Amino acid sequence: MVLNSLDKMIQLQKNTANIRNICVLAHVDHGKTTLADCLISSNGIISSRLAGKLRYMDSREDEQIRGITMKSSAISLHYAKDSEEYLINLIDSPGHVDFSSEVSTAVRICDGCIIVVDAVEGVCPQTQAVLRQAWLENIRPVLVINKIDRLIVELKFTPQEAYSHLKNILEQINALTGTLFTSKVLEERAERDTESQVNPNSEQGEQVYDWSTGLEDTDDSHLYFSPEQGNVVFTSAIDGWGFGIEHFAKIYSKKIGIKKEVLLKTLWGDYYINMKAKKIMKVDQAKGKKPLFVQLILENIWSLYDAVLKKDKEKIDKIVTSLGLKIGVREARHSDPKVQINAICSQWLPISHAVLSMVCQKLPSPLDITAERVEKLLCTGSQTFDSLPLETQALKAAFMKCGSEDTAPVIIFVSKMFAVDAKALPQNKPRPLTQEEIAQRRERARQRHAEKLAAAQGQAPLEPTQEASVLETSPQREEPRGDEQQVESMATNPVPQEGSNQESFIAFARVFSGVARRGEKIFVLGPKYSPIEFLQRVPLGFSAPPDDLPPVPHMACCTLENLYLLMGRELEDLEEVPPGNVLGIGGLQDFVLKSATLCSLPSCPPFIPLNFEATPIVRVAVEPKHPSEMPQLVKGMKLLNQADPCVQILIQETGEHVLVTAGEVHLQRCLDDLKERFAKIHISVSEPIIPFRETITKPPKVDMVNEEIGKQQKVAVIHQTKEDQSKIPEGIQVDSDGLITMTTPNKLATLSVRAVPLPEEVTQILEENSDLIRSMELLTSSLNEGKNTQMIHQKTQEKIWEFKGKLEQHLTGRKWRNTVDQIWSFGPRKCGPNILVNKSEDFQNSVWIGPTGRSSKEASKYRDLGNSIVSGFQLATLSGPMCEEPLMGVCFVLEKWDLSKFEEQGASDKQNQEQIDLVGERQEEDKIHPSGEENQEVQGVCLEPFEKRTSPKGDSSITDCYGPFSGQLIATMKEACRYSLQVKPQRLMAAMYTCDIMATSDVLGRVYAVLSKREGRVLQEEMKEGTDMFIIKAVLPVAESFGFADEIRKRTSGLASPQLVFSHWEVIPSDPFWVPTTEEEYLHFGEKADSENQARKYMNAVRKRKGLYVEEKIVEHAEKQRTLSKNK
């Protein structure tokens, strides 16, 4: 098919029912980009001979070198089937785990996806991950089993073995799909049934929902992949062929005379054909019958491969003529069998036809968007659809209708921003020349050539006639040349100035409703924008132009400057884009950071944020080689942050610029981009900054040589704890069970704090529910300020109670009695995995209900002082005593909180009442100072509300030589928390990767060697059925993972490649402060115990990096150092 013109594409964009937005998802190296190549070549954009070699969608240089895709890119294809013409917006996505954020951005703007699976490797970890992402976004998958040629050529399977192997892969994928979908679907069905009984108005949504999920016989059969349903295609993209069962059912129904419908049901499965009776029967394996799939389909393909690989010329000719194909002479004579196979198969079973017809039949158009998906997109945070304002709920109809009339609201979602060289933009491209211009240029070239000849001859003695002719013509000739140079220079000058080192940002977006027109004004909604707030500020039925509206937080107004059709490496200009299409938008870089919702109506809420599978964990600090280039670096990092959906940019309190990325490959790409595209300077990069967490554990039962800690040893241990306690300054009481009692410097308040380790399950629950904790915090603060704006919605309330119930369930026993009700705050940043429990009698306060004190005045006084204590707790949890890393899984119990002296001093004063009122005001203002030298981030987080308030000048409330009382409370609470940690057994927690490695049996030993060298722990290994591949699952500390993938590849000659995904935090069992105390330990470890202590090594490395004091001897054995005379 010839390349379609732009007009054709614009025409196709208008028919929403025939648009398919699809992305290709798979594990790394399963053949996504090769498959995309085959589909693109069907449109004549690239040659079919180059399909698979060119990797057209991988437009970056490093993608071509590494051979993996690193970004998702889109292309629009045209496909005609049975007089219907379809527009297919195909998005190719990366399979490498480091770039799984790109998959999220692609999945959000699609309606369906093609899951590609390698026929040899089967289901891999990333296959599971992409299936889960597709499921979370409610998009429908179809399956392509690729690389079937490997079963023939590499594994040398017989057709029968190949059939059972393929069956096995299908079962694995369906098992996966089953675990993901069934429970979810049934649960939602039940919910919808009850809703429809209660609320008959939602009847329409119900019908749409049912219709779009496809009414199969059973509830969930449409979720599974099976060839007879037509949602599975078998392909070999590199050889250019692919087929669905339907293709063969058509052929054989004519040949054998059995109905096509019957064949469709029986071509896959254990059926065989009785040729005499022309009947299809269930296979009886004992008789050694072959299933239809083997007999009618696979054997033909096998025999073709067999003939070509053995170079059996007669057989090949026979096959070609019987199939009625025409093979070119070049291909027929070619020495490489692959070329012949490609030539025959791509005509006999064209892959693009098989895949695209399945896409058009099985995947939904933008019109079929499910009500469920719309509701999910519109509900941010813990809101439910019913709790949204009515204006917002009305938008659901616009989504479902996908209307292109002028009244329809324009809703566009930008899923990512990507950088394009300004020269590649259509408006800056050289335009094709007209015929006249070409003629002029030809004439000029001729004249120049004549001049050169003349000049060359001029050196020799010229004949007068010739010289005269040159002289005559040259003035006329010179003028146009000079003139033309001026014209050319004028035309080319402006572009390089703008575009020489400028990156243009284009938004990768999709129109969900309405028509996007160039030059149209539109609102950009940030992720925190709330339509409720807008509707409160602006009266109903407003008709003001967007510029005159009052300012609303998180909302900006911008113009759609340029609209582009995305064509892989090319961009085409568009004037307008109808709904349901994928497009590029230029001119949004100042308004959109990474993703945003654009809408013509402010009543639209921002879409729910994209969910990323990979957590960014690898940090490095970057600085320019020449300090004078700092501004370029800062600017470059801003651009990089905008161009990559997953990267994070931080400036730490030490002033370092930190880059946080998802893995080593991702980090490498970000650094290359910084150097070559965004900053264009030389940068130096630090060693990776490895995050740790600090925690405490229960006292150990056995010592380091696994002997039970007995009485004779306790003496030594007590002796050691005395030494430990000598570290704690005077004036602080320490009980035997670790209760720390501290007094503020002005001796007016006394705090008693104890640190207790939380059970692992509780820490996990706190981590999972951090968003819920954050929304609870918002509710509490808005209640405290007397605003009742955010009504707690029923569903949110239920979630909070469920969360509370979970905590109560795990915090059982005498020690934890009533703890959950007394939780006062979470930390760090008010939503972390540590808790502060308030057990003091005077002031009850809990996160669940908001403050309730004895009387309102007292309560407010206590609340203000309480805020200081919470701030002290936040600071303590943000940087622990071991190496200033955040804490995790610690519960601080505030046992006593004695304010009697503070109250006495207050009472003795005559202006008692005024003073108490002023304490609050003054102390709120002073909240800003105490954490000055502490982490700036925290200060921003904890003390935000107080920065805006000021206190009256003449306030001389309780402020003494130690500074404001609230500041003393913060500092005292922080110190008390730190000391209470130090009297318990402290441990470091390391971040852990789960590591999936696929390796053949002969390199298994080497893989284990690399793992054990890097402190890895193997969890399980299993062999893949029917192959010699082993799948190894292991955990590996992030600290040891740098260079791991390269080392494994080197040691196994590239036969094994690992996938690393951040999974959890794990306590390092060794004590960083351990010294030998018993005789056995001295014997085993020696007096110094200087054999490597992993935890101490990590701790000292972090302390060194942060510039903290490290206890280490520089010279250990001075007398062994050589003298100078020996060194001659």
Side-chain angles (χ1 to χ4, degrees), residues 930-984:
S931 58
E933 70 281 347
E934 288 301 328
N935 192 322
Q936 292 169 2
E937 293 179 340
V938 184
Q939 203 175 317
V941 175
C942 307
L943 314 177
E944 234 174 319
F946 305 105
E947 289 173 12
K948 295 159 193 160
R949 309 178 188 171
T950 52
S951 81
K953 287 252 168 65
D955 175 5
S956 62
S957 74
I958 305 171
T959 306
D960 40 40
C961 59
Y962 301 109
F965 183 59
S966 61
Q968 294 178 43
L969 265 181
I970 292 179
T972 310
M973 180 65 186
K974 183 188 157 199
E975 291 305 306
C977 288
R978 289 184 82 139
Y979 290 135
S980 67
L981 278 176
Q982 283 170 316
V983 295
K984 295 280 168 128

Side-chain angles (χ1 to χ4, degrees), residues 834-1042:
N834 305 289
I835 55 179
L836 172 62
V837 172
N838 176 12
K839 286 199 172 166
S840 72
E841 300 295 317
D842 309 325
F843 174 61
Q844 261 74 42
N845 190 355
S846 132
V847 283
W848 310 111
I849 41 174
T852 52
R854 286 172 294 191
S855 71
S856 59
K857 284 239 170 91
E858 298 248 314
S860 69
K861 173 192 72 173
Y862 271 101
R863 183 170 75 224
D864 293 339
L865 297 176
N867 281 340
S868 304
I869 284 193
V870 170
S871 298
F873 159 75
Q874 299 294 350
L875 290 171
T877 51
L878 197 86
S879 51
M882 271 197 285
C883 49
E884 304 289 326
E885 289 286 301
L887 300 182
M888 187 169 188
V890 181
C891 168
F892 289 105
V893 184
L894 183 64
E895 296 278 350
K896 275 204 219 71
W897 180 16
D898 184 10
L899 285 175
S900 50
K901 288 184 182 168
F902 169 64
E903 284 171 358
E904 279 167 26
Q905 187 173 352
S908 66
D909 203 353
K910 282 178 191 171
Q911 296 143 342
N912 182 2
Q913 199 49 51
E914 289 174 33
Q915 223 167 323
I916 289 177
D917 292 348
L918 289 170
V919 171
E921 292 175 327
R922 177 62 199 245
Q923 159 252 327
E924 283 175 355
E925 183 242 350
D926 284 326
K927 277 273 242 354
I928 305 156
H929 304 302
S931 58
E933 70 281 347
E934 288 301 328
N935 192 322
Q936 292 169 2
E937 293 179 340
V938 184
Q939 203 175 317
V941 175
C942 307
L943 314 177
E944 234 174 319
F946 305 105
E947 289 173 12
K948 295 159 193 160
R949 309 178 188 171
T950 52
S951 81
K953 287 252 168 65
D955 175 5
S956 62
S957 74
I958 305 171
T959 306
D960 40 40
C961 59
Y962 301 109
F965 183 59
S966 61
Q968 294 178 43
L969 265 181
I970 292 179
T972 310
M973 180 65 186
K974 183 188 157 199
E975 291 305 306
C977 288
R978 289 184 82 139
Y979 290 135
S980 67
L981 278 176
Q982 283 170 316
V983 295
K984 295 280 168 128
Q986 290 172 274
R987 294 287 183 272
L988 264 188
M989 292 181 91
M992 302 298 269
Y993 276 137
T994 47
C995 165
D996 290 284
I997 309 174
M998 291 189 77
T1000 50
S1001 49
D1002 42 345
V1003 294
L1004 214 54
R1006 293 177 206 163
V1007 170
Y1008 278 118
V1010 176
L1011 269 171
S1012 57
K1013 178 179 141 193
R1014 292 175 174 263
E1015 308 278 331
R1017 204 172 66 243
V1018 176
L1019 302 179
Q1020 68 177 91
E1021 64 161 25
E1022 52 182 64
M1023 194 170 183
K1024 278 234 148 171
E1025 282 182 44
T1027 62
D1028 62 343
M1029 297 292 269
F1030 279 87
I1031 300 174
I1032 302 159
K1033 273 197 166 45
V1035 286
L1036 181 80
V1038 172
E1040 303 289 339
S1041 71
F1042 300 99

Side-chain angles (χ1 to χ4, degrees), residues 417-437:
M417 302 292 282
F418 63 99
V420 187
D421 196 353
K423 293 177 197 136
L425 295 177
Q427 56 265 36
N428 298 344
K429 270 193 201 150
R431 56 187 173 77
L433 300 171
T434 60
Q435 287 304 116
E436 294 88 46
E437 284 174 319

Side-chain angles (χ1 to χ4, degrees), residues 409-463:
V410 182
I411 303 172
I412 302 171
F413 182 74
V414 174
S415 74
K416 67 166 185 172
M417 302 292 282
F418 63 99
V420 187
D421 196 353
K423 293 177 197 136
L425 295 177
Q427 56 265 36
N428 298 344
K429 270 193 201 150
R431 56 187 173 77
L433 300 171
T434 60
Q435 287 304 116
E436 294 88 46
E437 284 174 319
I438 292 171
Q440 278 176 351
R441 289 205 175 183
R442 197 182 295 123
E443 185 57 35
R444 282 179 205 150
R446 243 186 234 132
Q447 288 171 355
R448 276 184 214 142
H449 185 61
E451 269 173 38
K452 274 183 195 157
L453 279 176
Q457 286 167 354
Q459 289 161 9
L462 286 172
E463 293 171 20

Side-chain angles (χ1 to χ4, degrees), residues 144-378:
V144 168
I145 297 184
N146 192 20
K147 302 198 184 184
I148 290 193
D149 58 300
R150 287 182 67 189
L151 300 180
I152 310 173
V153 182
E154 280 178 36
L155 300 184
K156 302 200 166 28
F157 277 1
T158 63
Q160 183 68 48
E161 287 168 343
Y163 168 66
S164 52
H165 182 74
L166 292 171
K167 227 165 89 173
N168 202 356
I169 289 179
L170 260 177
E171 277 166 19
Q172 285 177 357
I173 292 185
N174 283 335
L176 248 186
T177 322
T179 51
L180 285 176
F181 288 102
T182 37
S183 58
K184 177 89 177 140
V185 164
L186 295 173
E187 189 183 303
E188 283 178 357
R189 277 288 160 90
E191 251 180 53
R192 282 172 183 285
D193 290 345
T194 50
E195 266 179 38
S196 62
Q197 287 160 13
V198 178
N199 182 4
N201 301 348
S202 65
E203 208 57 48
Q204 187 185 358
E206 184 74 18
Q207 285 165 359
V208 169
Y209 173 79
D210 274 354
W211 167 68
S212 64
T213 46
L215 289 166
E216 259 74 30
D217 310 340
T218 54
D219 249 358
D220 51 359
S221 66
H222 65 277
L223 299 174
Y224 298 116
F225 301 109
S226 71
E228 64 261 28
Q229 275 192 38
N231 58 5
V232 180
V233 163
F234 304 93
T235 65
S236 160
I238 200 81
D239 287 344
W241 59 266
F243 64 88
I245 280 187
E246 200 179 345
H247 176 81
F248 281 99
K250 269 185 198 164
I251 299 173
Y252 283 117
S253 67
K254 289 174 191 164
K255 260 192 180 170
I256 311 172
I258 293 176
K259 281 184 191 163
K260 182 182 156 193
E261 291 76 27
V262 177
L263 277 171
L264 269 177
K265 287 216 173 96
T266 54
L267 264 175
W268 177 262
D270 296 334
Y271 299 97
Y272 77 98
I273 190 162
N274 183 336
M275 285 310 281
K276 287 178 190 167
K278 291 209 171 172
K279 273 186 185 169
I280 289 175
M281 308 190 170
K282 269 273 190 202
V283 162
D284 187 357
Q285 292 294 347
K287 293 177 186 167
K289 298 278 188 190
K290 293 175 187 164
L292 282 179
F293 190 74
V294 173
Q295 192 182 351
L296 301 181
I297 301 175
L298 294 187
E299 284 187 349
N300 291 328
I301 295 172
W302 255 246
S303 63
L304 168 65
Y305 267 81
D306 192 47
V308 175
L309 293 173
K310 287 183 179 161
K311 303 208 168 139
D312 185 342
K313 186 119 178 46
E314 288 173 18
K315 197 172 174 189
I316 296 173
D317 291 345
K318 191 178 164 192
I319 291 174
V320 170
T321 48
S322 68
L323 291 172
L325 310 175
K326 287 190 176 67
I327 300 292
V329 181
R330 177 182 167 278
E331 280 88 356
R333 287 186 185 159
H334 207 289
S335 58
D336 183 5
K338 280 276 184 196
V339 175
Q340 285 188 326
I341 287 176
N342 197 329
I344 299 170
C345 292
S346 57
Q347 289 183 44
W348 173 38
L349 302 169
I351 183 172
S352 56
H353 177 73
V355 174
L356 294 180
S357 69
M358 169 172 77
V359 163
C360 295
Q361 279 177 329
K362 294 291 162 194
L363 294 182
S365 74
L367 289 175
D368 306 337
I369 188 166
T370 58
E372 180 186 11
R373 186 175 178 203
V374 174
E375 287 179 17
K376 205 170 167 189
L377 284 178
L378 294 178

Side-chain angles (χ1 to χ4, degrees), residues 69-95:
T69 309
M70 294 186 183
K71 55 158 194 356
S72 45
S73 43
I75 192 161
S76 297
L77 304 176
H78 166 242
Y79 176 66
K81 177 177 190 265
D82 313 335
S83 75
E84 286 280 326
E85 294 198 345
Y86 293 92
L87 174 69
I88 292 170
N89 294 319
L90 177 79
I91 302 176
D92 182 27
S93 68

